Amino acid sequence: MSRHRTHGPAMSGLVTAAAVLLAGSAAGGAYLVGRPSDDAAASVAAVSSASSPPAEAGRSEEPQVDLDAELADALAPLADGADVSVAVLDTESGAGAAYGDEAYDTASIVKVDILAALLLLAQDEGRQLNGAEQAYAEAMIRRSDNTSATELLKVIGGEEGLDAANGRLGLTATRAAHAWGLTRTTAADQVRLLEAVSGTDSELSAASRAYLTELMGQVEADQRWGVSAAGTGAVLKNGWMPRTTTGLWDVNSIGRVESGGHTVLVTVLSRGHATKEAGIALVESVAKAAVGVTGAVAAAG
């Protein structure tokens, strides 16, 4: 593989969450306001390798596995001439890896980010989503409706509001754009967003997380491709768009899957595909390879 013209590992700043994933969802899409009361443990371990306990006296530590290198090797047979970046995190073992640290345009995966920002705003204002906001949110995530995304970006204060929300959610390399599909992000930042949606150590309240997760679990059948290929029970959002200057496609997928009895967060960003279908095929192959790398660590542990 040509390493898809990326520049090596990107997970140096990404840390694991002590994630206890939510079961169930808010009835009817309603949710509570206020910060979460969960007393979650702080995130402490870098996801470039699974954390290990201190070695006992007189015993040597087992060698650390370079999961970024393992992931790069797993991706080597998948080249198709496009650029790709991926980040993956097993929320239970803490095993994680990344390939590529370049920023990509989000296309419609930013809609998860927009809804997270809206929920933060509602929490701050001590209110629930109103009827129009709820209708826009559900259309934006389930059907990937573009008009709804545009309207909700206005509600949260445009790109400045989205950037402010991202600061609270721990996204350090994402920059919002007025044309929301051109928001720039990294695979590592998208895992951080998924941690904010799925874990307890989050600015989002438990009910806000449940509401967002519920919608991501209900995307329309023809949009359930991408990271869903890497496991079962997928909760996801995809993004795709052709570029007017080149005619080539951006194809992205972010989400949470179950694999080997573990819950795994996985994000794949890609660009330069001749067709949308080619992009989907690569994204799915990359997602499977990434989840396989963390799964091997979990099985060995």
Side-chain angles (χ1 to χ4, degrees):
M1 194 182 211
S2 63
R3 300 289 172 114
H4 291 307
R5 299 190 294 279
T6 56
H7 300 297
M11 300 295 279
S12 58
L14 183 57
V15 294
T16 58
V20 180
L21 297 177
L22 296 167
S25 58
Y31 65 94
L32 305 176
V33 297
R35 286 287 307 278
S37 59
D38 314 271
D39 187 18
S43 301
V44 293
V47 303
S48 57
S49 62
S51 300
S52 302
E56 296 179 13
R59 294 179 61 184
S60 61
E61 294 185 18
E62 293 190 8
Q64 294 291 314
V65 177
D66 185 346
L67 293 184
D68 290 349
E70 294 282 341
L71 179 58
D73 289 344
L75 298 183
L78 305 179
D80 74 343
D83 290 332
V84 65
S85 183
V86 57
V88 61
L89 174 65
D90 182 321
T91 64
E92 291 156 44
S93 72
Y99 177 85
D101 58 2
E102 293 183 2
Y104 288 68
D105 292 334
T106 58
S108 285
I109 61 170
V110 76
K111 292 168 181 174
V112 174
D113 203 5
I114 291 172
L115 181 50
L118 176 66
L119 292 168
L120 282 178
L121 176 64
Q123 288 175 196
D124 292 345
E125 295 177 348
R127 65 177 181 85
Q128 296 183 351
L129 297 187
N130 61 41
E133 289 169 342
Q134 188 169 343
Y136 283 140
E138 295 183 4
M140 179 176 69
I141 301 299
R142 290 174 173 163
R143 296 192 285 106
S144 203
D145 182 68
N146 292 337
T147 299
S148 296
T150 299
E151 292 302 315
L152 291 182
L153 185 64
K154 295 176 186 175
V155 172
I156 65 173
E159 56 267 43
E160 294 84 1
L162 186 57
D163 281 337
N166 284 338
R168 295 171 63 182
L169 294 170
L171 279 65
T172 60
T174 299
R175 299 293 177 266
H178 177 71
W180 45 260
L182 299 181
T183 294
R184 302 282 285 174
T185 194
T186 63
D189 252 15
Q190 289 303 299
V191 167
R192 293 185 183 101
L193 177 60
L194 292 172
E195 288 185 279
V197 172
S198 295
T200 57
D201 185 15
S202 174
E203 287 279 318
L204 292 166
S205 70
S208 290
R209 298 193 305 269
Y211 177 60
L212 216 167
T213 300
E214 175 190 27
L215 296 185
M216 291 175 68
Q218 297 174 347
V219 300
E220 292 189 343
D222 64 350
Q223 296 180 22
R224 295 194 64 79
W225 44 264
V227 299
S228 57
T232 60
V235 172
L236 80 167
K237 183 71 189 77
N238 297 323
W240 60 96
M241 65 180 180
R243 307 314 297 256
T244 56
T245 54
T246 64
L248 301 177
W249 285 78
D250 294 348
V251 180
N252 305 322
S253 185
I254 64 172
R256 186 186 82 194
V257 299
E258 303 295 323
S259 178
H262 285 232
T263 300
V264 185
L265 310 180
V266 57
T267 68
V268 184
L269 310 177
S270 70
R271 61 191 172 213
H273 304 284
T275 64
K276 176 184 174 184
E277 292 72 23
I280 291 173
L282 179 64
V283 165
E284 292 186 339
S285 296
V286 168
K288 290 178 184 177
V291 172
V293 166
T294 59
V297 172

